[in-house]
Amino acid sequence: MIAELGHFALLLAACVALVQAVVPMIGAHRGWSGWMAFASPAATAQFFLTAFSFSALTYAFVVSDFSLKLVVDNSHSLKPMLYKVTGVWGNHEGSMLLWVLILTLYGALAAWFGGNLPPSLKARVLGVQAAVTLAFMAFIIFTSNPFLRLAVPPLDGQDLNPLLQDPGLAFHPPFLYLGYVGLSLTFSFAVAALIEGRVDAAWGGWVRPWTLAAWVFLTIGIALGSWWAYYELGWGGYWFWDPVENASFMPWLLAAALLHSAIVVEKRESLKSWTILLAILAFGFSLIGAFIVRSGVLTSVHAFANDPERGVFILLITGIFMGGALTLFAARAGSMQAKGVFGLLSRESALVANNILLAVSCFVVFVGTVWPLVAEMLFDRKLSVGPPFFDAAFTPFMVLLAIILPIGGLMPWKRAKMGRVMRQLTLPIVATFLVAALIWTFQTDRSILAPIGIALGVWLIAGSLIDLWSRTGRGGVASRARRLWNLPRADWGKTVSHMGLGVTFIGISAMTAWQSEDIRVAQVGETFTVSGYEVTLADVRREPGPNYDSIMADLVVSKNGRQVAILNPEKRNYPVAQMPTTEADIDNGVFRDLYLVIGDPQAGGGWAVRTYIKPFANWVWAGAIIMSLGGFVSLSDRRFRVAPGAARKPGKSGDADPSTVAAE
């Protein structure tokens, strides 16, 4: 009965979405206030109806209602409760219902916190958001119904994919969707502005916090997925340029560019067309990501579905909304005239360069991701584009971006003097070269990646701190320290996020260049040495799990005669799913990770053992956490909640930038 109520609530929510997509738009066109006002209660009702539908599906998983086909296919009575709940979105149908729930959540949030928006703009934003939601509700109802019943329910289910039974991946999809789907609201703002034919500083102020929120959640989601790949897959890596990894990374790059561009719109009323285009493309790449994950056209360990018919439906949604938005953009481009004039050396120019680098790097990732498909379709050749291509083609743009960020942050609006900017950066420049020289001295025959990458990380961190300090004006250290404490939270958020990017640069560079790897067959009781660590295979035993059987190893790690850690990597077998998994065990440290994996027993006796020493591994995810923290700090700035662009006249926007967002 509860499942039927959930299905009915979803159908009713689709009806509300249909009305919400039509009535407020007519009201905005005709100037009918009552019809425009209908958008807010409709968005609220749509959210609560969808939330009830999602709760009904969750209840079915929690109580193991095996009369539902989705529960049978993705759950089991012996599965731990956490994975019963997360099994709701660990499949195609449930994950799409989560997608729609978040779509309605953003629509409801825009209705609740959009009281300062002009009525016509608010009505159009909510109307466009409802149209997008309606499309995905139709997709669920007609192709991916999660409430299908079985005539003869089985006694138990087939279990969830064992790779998904992990805390890291349990929370990865919700955060990723909060970012992916959050970009739908910036898309709605862009289309609404195009319909009205007006993009101004106020619009930039309204769209920035929503873009920032989506970027922050996308950062967290990508970091969780990377962390899961690092310790769960047992391959010793954290990023494989997998098509699904790229599907989330591309919107992240465009969302970062959109943040920078929205700053210029709000502060200087420039780059309007570019900002609108980025808002359209950012959500467009989210839709492309959904297509990649669910169509089966590209193979991935992360893919939810392998169904060409569903892929065609998503492709149709993408074509309708992207084609319609880009057509509208072409028709309205002439009405978005820039007002601010700026020189070649200015903050505006630095932000333009930043946007170009981010957009081109996204295009590089896109080409590498889809090229195997294009080659097979057009040339009947099966190709594989792997990490060597992405590393070689993508890295130069990130290097240039890291160089530009501290310089651009110190440039004033309109015109800048490079000599003055570089004098402020004297200390970061000296620190960067000293660190690079020190690393180069210690490593003689190793890759140049480490000194360059770590130097860029130091450059980003030091440059961000100097940028923050420069905003305190002149005077003594004590007075400047007081002003530093009183700076807007958005300034602090920007600095924290840029520092987080620098920390990630250091982690990636050090781990890639300096890691050690050892793969061997070891006998029980045997000791071997890897990069100064003595590893002893003390024992291998069988251990029962709640819904799996495990072969667990006891590996004792010592250094200079002192025990460092006892690690217990596993080989698990899930009998219901008939699938094995590899569970690495990691001794985490601030400056290195000890990463051990137990493999299969060998014919001649002994066990396959893989040992990795990974310097600065945790700095990769620490940087992502710091970037996200900076985003949250910026979102807490009161001016984001009251949309300062609406209350400030454009003529005063050329002053120093006191509210630059975290991703600038």
Side-chain angles (χ1 to χ4, degrees):
M1 180 64 180
I2 292 179
E4 279 69 26
L5 289 175
H7 191 193
F8 177 75
L10 182 62
L11 294 172
L12 190 58
C15 295
V16 174
L18 175 61
V19 179
Q20 182 185 332
V22 175
V23 171
M25 293 293 238
I26 296 175
H29 180 69
R30 297 285 188 179
W32 298 342
S33 58
W35 286 42
M36 288 188 285
F38 174 79
S40 291
T44 301
Q46 191 185 151
F47 167 67
F48 282 113
L49 286 168
T50 310
F52 179 83
S53 179
F54 187 82
S55 300
L57 185 62
T58 304
Y59 175 79
F61 271 83
V62 169
V63 301
S64 297
D65 181 0
F66 295 121
S67 66
L68 281 185
K69 182 179 185 301
L70 193 66
V71 180
V72 173
D73 292 341
N74 297 278
S75 190
H76 191 273
S77 58
L78 296 179
K79 192 166 65 172
M81 182 56 68
L82 171 64
Y83 304 126
K84 286 185 177 181
V85 174
T86 59
V88 177
W89 55 78
N91 56 84
H92 168 71
E93 292 83 357
S95 66
M96 285 310 305
L97 187 58
L98 176 63
W99 179 291
V100 169
L101 175 64
I102 295 175
L103 271 173
T104 61
L105 172 63
Y106 274 103
L109 289 173
W112 299 339
F113 299 104
N116 55 348
L117 293 172
S120 61
L121 179 63
K122 182 178 180 181
R124 289 186 169 113
V125 167
L126 294 179
V128 175
Q129 188 75 7
V132 175
T133 305
L134 177 62
F136 279 97
M137 284 184 173
F139 175 66
I140 291 178
I141 293 168
F142 294 115
T143 74
S144 310
N145 185 2
F147 296 104
L148 290 177
R149 291 282 193 183
L150 292 175
V152 183
L155 293 177
D156 219 326
Q158 298 175 12
D159 209 355
L160 179 68
N161 184 336
L163 288 175
L164 305 182
Q165 296 185 38
D166 178 86
L169 205 65
F171 300 105
H172 162 66
F175 279 105
L176 204 61
Y177 285 9
L178 284 167
Y180 258 152
V181 182
L183 293 172
S184 67
L185 195 57
T186 62
F187 171 82
S188 297
F189 267 97
V191 173
L194 287 172
I195 294 173
E196 291 204 346
R198 186 181 67 183
V199 178
D200 54 16
W203 181 88
W206 289 318
V207 81
R208 278 176 61 194
W210 298 110
T211 308
L212 178 58
W215 179 84
V216 168
F217 286 123
L218 201 51
T219 302
I220 296 173
I222 291 172
L224 283 173
S226 171
W227 180 52
W228 167 81
Y230 175 64
Y231 71 81
E232 176 64 23
L233 295 181
W235 299 345
Y238 59 93
W239 193 263
F240 305 97
W241 294 107
D242 178 274
V244 176
E245 291 176 337
N246 296 345
S248 60
F249 190 46
M250 290 184 290
W252 185 87
L253 291 168
L254 290 176
L258 176 58
L259 277 172
H260 292 79
S261 196
I263 294 169
V264 183
V265 173
E266 184 184 5
K267 300 296 180 183
R268 300 286 302 144
E269 292 213 38
S270 298
L271 304 186
K272 295 179 181 179
S273 298
W274 178 241
T275 305
I276 292 289
L277 182 61
L278 283 173
I280 295 172
L281 291 179
F283 182 57
F285 273 90
S286 295
L287 296 178
I288 291 172
F291 171 74
I292 290 174
V293 174
R294 299 170 195 283
S295 64
V297 296
L298 294 171
T299 304
S300 168
V301 297
H302 306 74
F304 272 115
N306 186 6
D307 188 340
E309 292 184 5
R310 291 171 175 170
V312 170
F313 204 120
I314 295 177
L315 202 58
L316 184 62
I317 293 174
T318 304
I320 290 173
F321 284 99
M322 291 303 101
L326 291 173
T327 301
L328 186 59
F329 173 78
R332 294 285 195 179
S335 64
M336 293 179 287
Q337 298 297 323
K339 295 182 179 180
V341 178
F342 53 89
L344 181 61
L345 293 178
S346 63
R347 178 170 295 190
E348 292 94 329
S349 295
L351 291 172
V352 169
N354 169 85
N355 285 355
I356 292 173
L357 290 171
L358 288 168
V360 172
S361 61
C362 175
F363 178 73
V364 168
V365 176
F366 176 71
V367 170
T369 303
V370 303
W371 183 247
L373 178 63
V374 174
E376 186 173 358
M377 290 175 59
L378 300 182
F379 310 113
D380 195 25
R381 295 181 59 191
K382 290 188 177 294
L383 299 177
S384 176
V385 179
F389 165 80
F390 290 105
D391 292 341
F394 181 79
T395 303
F397 298 107
M398 292 299 101
V399 171
L400 289 174
L401 182 67
I403 293 172
I404 289 173
L405 277 177
I407 299 173
L410 286 168
M411 284 183 171
W413 298 104
K414 297 177 69 174
R415 286 178 297 277
K417 294 182 179 180
M418 186 57 70
R420 181 178 179 183
V421 172
M422 298 310 292
R423 281 195 297 271
Q424 291 178 282
L425 288 170
T426 301
L427 184 59
I429 291 172
V430 172
T432 300
F433 278 101
L434 286 176
V435 169
L438 183 63
I439 295 171
W440 185 254
T441 301
F442 280 107
Q443 70 163 52
T444 55
D445 58 346
R446 296 195 178 188
S447 169
I448 197 173
L449 173 64
I452 292 178
I454 294 176
L456 287 173
V458 172
W459 166 251
L460 279 168
I461 294 170
S464 299
L465 291 172
I466 292 296
D467 180 19
L468 188 69
W469 183 253
S470 70
R471 295 173 185 272
T472 61
R474 298 180 179 179
V477 174
S479 62
R480 295 185 71 176
R482 285 193 298 271
R483 290 195 293 271
L484 181 68
W485 178 255
N486 293 323
L487 284 176
R489 292 179 186 175
D491 282 358
W492 279 97
K494 168 195 167 182
T495 299
V496 171
S497 283
H498 280 182
M499 291 175 66
L501 182 61
V503 171
T504 298
F505 263 71
I506 293 172
I508 291 174
S509 302
M511 184 161 68
T512 303
W514 294 339
Q515 71 175 349
S516 301
E517 177 181 354
D518 179 87
I519 303 175
R520 68 174 64 222
V521 176
Q523 304 289 335
V524 174
E526 180 182 348
T527 298
F528 54 93
T529 302
V530 181
S531 296
Y533 289 91
E534 297 88 33
V535 183
T536 302
L537 179 58
D539 190 20
V540 180
R541 63 188 188 279
R542 293 190 178 274
E543 291 285 342
N547 61 333
Y548 60 83
D549 298 318
S550 170
I551 295 176
M552 182 180 293
D554 294 332
L555 286 157
V556 181
V557 183
S558 304
K559 188 171 187 179
N560 299 325
R562 182 178 61 85
Q563 181 175 300
V564 176
I566 299 177
L567 300 179
N568 304 109
E570 301 176 65
K571 288 282 292 186
R572 292 180 181 176
N573 180 57
Y574 291 77
V576 176
Q578 296 185 348
M579 181 175 176
T581 64
T582 300
E583 306 290 328
D585 199 8
I586 307 170
D587 180 53
N588 300 111
V590 176
F591 298 109
R592 63 96 185 102
D593 274 3
L594 300 175
Y595 187 108
L596 291 174
V597 180
I598 187 71
D600 297 319
Q602 302 300 298
W607 297 81
V609 178
R610 278 183 288 158
T611 306
Y612 300 93
I613 312 297
K614 295 185 170 290
F616 291 83
N618 287 303
W619 288 47
V620 176
W621 299 285
I625 293 171
I626 294 170
M627 281 190 278
S628 303
L629 179 62
F632 283 122
V633 170
S634 285
L635 282 173
S636 69
D637 194 310
R638 180 177 178 274
R639 290 165 304 171
F640 277 167
R641 298 195 297 273
V642 299
R648 186 178 62 245
K649 295 182 179 179
K652 295 184 180 181
S653 63
D655 300 333
D657 176 22
S659 58
T660 306
V661 298
E664 181 187 344

